[in-house]
């Protein structure tokens, strides 16, 4: 199939990076052999090699609940597993921010930290380095079903007293009252604050890292996400739903978090208008295309961006098409255009930065 544009481009970039490192190491050896080394240039070369070895391309996926963000991640990167690897279903799914990467030394695992650590006066970057504070679930990478079951822990919840939920920033009494919920004794909250996930997927081994964020509430109550993680990502993928367009909460997230993280430059940014399959009309294809284009135009105007940055897709149908090897359904899902943009725009941009 021709749809693995992003995969192919990332592997090509990984090979380029490896060849560049090998060339620099040979140059370094040549300098030593002919006594041409000096302390300053040796340190410079060492820093370059370290940067190449630790290089990752980080994509941050940002969306309000029920936009199909996790399904999009499944469709883009993990379809070859043959299952819906990350938990995705109607309603709230991802409950805690999750980072996916490959940790060659640490092995294959999911590490989770309790939600109560939000109340501790400890920088989150410090908590990430304290492995003993995290609950670890080992992953069997030869068994996709075991991995699928393990990933369901990402959506684990528990009930706590209302005051505890308020202290954790997970219950807004005014917002609850608007929904008819007044002074509940207990509140359902996520069990985990953050997840670190490592396994040897080919793209993760090639240097891809994924940040999956679970909605406006998490972005508002986790300063580390907005002050460090989102701005350091090489691209932000902001996900909307085609059947709702840009809602008030979408616009809030866009203005207060996405634009700030990208410094309003709109570089390294893609807006995905997901769930276009909800608009499919086999009896009126022209009307269907017109409806999608109208929604794209309206969304672009609401966000203040050009239309070419908005990619209408059906992540659900793209995942199904890749698993079933159905070219027709894949084309109808329109995910190829998004993959091409990520390949050419994001990876090429990263390569130019490394060259500089």
């Amino acid at each position: 199939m021709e749809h693995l544009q992003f995969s192919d481009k990332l592997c090509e970039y990984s090979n380029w990076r490896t060849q560049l490192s090998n060339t620099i190491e040979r140059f370094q050896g040549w300098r030593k052999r002919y006594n041409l080394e000096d302390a300053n240039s040796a340190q410079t070369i060492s820093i370059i090699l370290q940067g190449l070895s630790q290089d990752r391309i980080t994509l941050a996926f940002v969306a309000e609940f029920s936009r199909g963000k996790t399904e999009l991640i499944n469709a883009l990167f993990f379809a070859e597993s043959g299952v819906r690897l990350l938990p995705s279903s109607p309603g709230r799914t991802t409950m805690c921010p999750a980072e996916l990467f490959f940790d060659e030394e640490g092995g294959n695992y999911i590490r989770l930290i309790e939600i109560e650590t939000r109340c501790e006066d400890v920088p989150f970057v410090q908590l990430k380095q304290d492995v003993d504070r995290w609950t670890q679930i080992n992953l069997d990478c030869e068994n996709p079903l075991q991995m699928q079951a393990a990933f369901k822990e990402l959506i684990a919840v528990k009930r706590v007293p209302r005051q505890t939920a308020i202290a954790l920033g997970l219950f807004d009494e005014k917002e609850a009252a608007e929904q008819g919920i007044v002074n509940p004794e207990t509140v359902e909250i996520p069990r985990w604050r953050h997840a670190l996930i490592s396994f040897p997927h080919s793209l993760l081994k090639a240097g891809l890292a994924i940040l999956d964020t679970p909605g406006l509430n998490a972005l508002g109550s986790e300063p580390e996400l907005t002050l460090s993680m989102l701005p350091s990502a090489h691209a932000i993928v902001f996900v909307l739903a085609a059947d709702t367009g840009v809602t008030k909460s979408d616009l809030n997230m866009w203005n207060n978090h996405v634009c700030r993280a990208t410094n309003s430059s709109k570089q390294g940014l893609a807006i995905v208008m997901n769930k276009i399959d909800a608009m499919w009309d086999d009896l009126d294809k022209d009307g269907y295309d017109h409806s999608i284009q109208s929604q794209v135009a309206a969304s672009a105007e609401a966000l203040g961006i050009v239309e070419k940055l908005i990619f209408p897709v059906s992540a659900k149908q793209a995942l199904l098409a890749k698993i079933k090897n159905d070219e027709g359904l894949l084309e109808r899902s329109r995910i190829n255009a998004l993959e091409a943009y990520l390949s050419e725009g994001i990876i090429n941009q990263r390569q130019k930065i490394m060259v500089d």
Side-chain angles (χ1 to χ4, degrees), residues 273-277 280 312-319 333-334:
M273 194 174 73
N274 193 21
K275 301 187 178 183
I276 60 171
D277 50 297
W280 282 2
V313 306
S314 169
K316 178 181 178 181
Q317 299 304 326
L319 178 61
S333 76
R334 302 196 185 191

Side-chain angles (χ1 to χ4, degrees), residues 67-199:
R67 303 298 188 262
K69 166 179 52 62
T70 305
E71 189 80 326
L72 178 65
I73 295 173
N74 282 324
L76 283 170
F77 309 120
F78 304 129
E80 83 288 344
S81 67
V83 299
R84 180 176 280 115
L85 197 59
L86 301 180
S88 177
S89 60
R92 296 192 173 196
T93 50
T94 309
M95 299 299 289
C96 67
E99 295 177 66
L100 292 88
F101 51 87
F102 176 54
D103 177 4
E104 188 171 5
E105 293 183 3
N108 312 321
Y109 58 78
I110 300 176
R111 289 178 184 157
L112 303 142
I113 195 162
E114 295 280 354
I115 191 70
E116 285 79 5
T117 57
R118 277 191 180 185
C119 294
E120 297 181 18
D121 188 22
V122 180
F124 186 68
V125 66
Q126 184 176 327
L127 286 174
K128 288 177 75 172
Q129 296 170 354
D130 189 356
V131 178
D132 293 336
R133 296 293 305 274
W134 297 69
T135 298
Q136 180 161 319
I137 302 172
N138 293 324
L139 296 175
D140 179 1
C141 296
E142 299 298 321
N143 186 347
L145 294 179
Q146 185 272 341
M147 294 181 67
Q148 185 183 40
F151 281 128
K152 288 183 179 178
E153 191 62 28
L154 297 176
I155 61 176
V157 296
K158 60 182 178 181
R159 299 201 73 87
V160 298
R162 173 167 50 91
Q163 290 304 320
T164 300
I166 292 173
L168 291 169
L170 294 170
F171 184 72
D172 186 314
E173 291 185 288
K174 182 178 178 181
E175 183 180 308
E178 292 175 353
Q179 300 173 8
I181 304 172
V182 181
N183 296 329
E185 290 186 10
T186 61
V187 177
E188 186 178 86
I189 66 169
R191 179 178 178 185
W192 307 110
R193 178 183 182 183
H194 202 91
L196 303 174
I197 304 170
S198 167
F199 62 101

Side-chain angles (χ1 to χ4, degrees), residues 47 65 72 100 116 173 180 197 199 204 218 228 231 303 330 342:
I47 292 172
F65 288 111
L72 178 65
L100 292 88
E116 285 79 5
E173 291 185 288
I197 304 170
F199 62 101
L204 302 183
S228 175
L303 299 178
L330 185 71
L342 293 176

